[in-house]
Amino acid sequence: MGRSVEGLEAQGEGNKRILDLEEYITVQDVCNHLKIKERTVYKICAISSFPAIKIGKTYRINKNQYEKWLKSNIGKTILL
């Protein structure tokens, strides 16, 4: 009680706490955002500079890093 736990942030009164985690999106979210096919997103996930993590057979993409990746690649051609 009263100890600080790394990665947790006090919220409100009492012992109520929430995890302070970054948001991750799915391959389908990227498909919808970029209006491209799922197969293309899987190819993009294989690029080493793309901020995806593979968990089992699924990918999760860090939302903030994804936005930065997009901005840094504006005007470039991504060859797959």
Side-chain angles (χ1 to χ4, degrees), residues 25-56:
I25 57 176
T26 65
V27 167
Q28 194 59 48
D29 293 329
V30 176
C31 290
N32 294 336
H33 179 245
L34 297 179
K35 309 289 189 270
I36 59 177
K37 295 184 181 205
E38 190 173 299
R39 182 176 179 155
T40 304
V41 177
Y42 280 109
K43 289 179 181 180
I44 293 171
C45 286
I47 298 172
S48 62
S49 66
F50 190 74
I53 181 172
K54 189 171 185 181
I55 303 171

Side-chain angles (χ1 to χ4, degrees), residues 6 9 29 34 38 51 70 73 79-80:
E6 188 177 338
E9 182 178 297
D29 293 329
L34 297 179
E38 190 173 299
L70 284 177
N73 284 287
L79 299 175
L80 303 173

Side-chain angles (χ1 to χ4, degrees), residues 3 6 10-11 13 15 32 41 51-52 61-63 66 79:
R3 292 185 307 170
E6 188 177 338
Q11 190 75 12
E13 295 180 9
N15 293 328
N32 294 336
V41 177
I61 298 112
N62 181 288
K63 185 178 180 181
Y66 165 70
L79 299 175

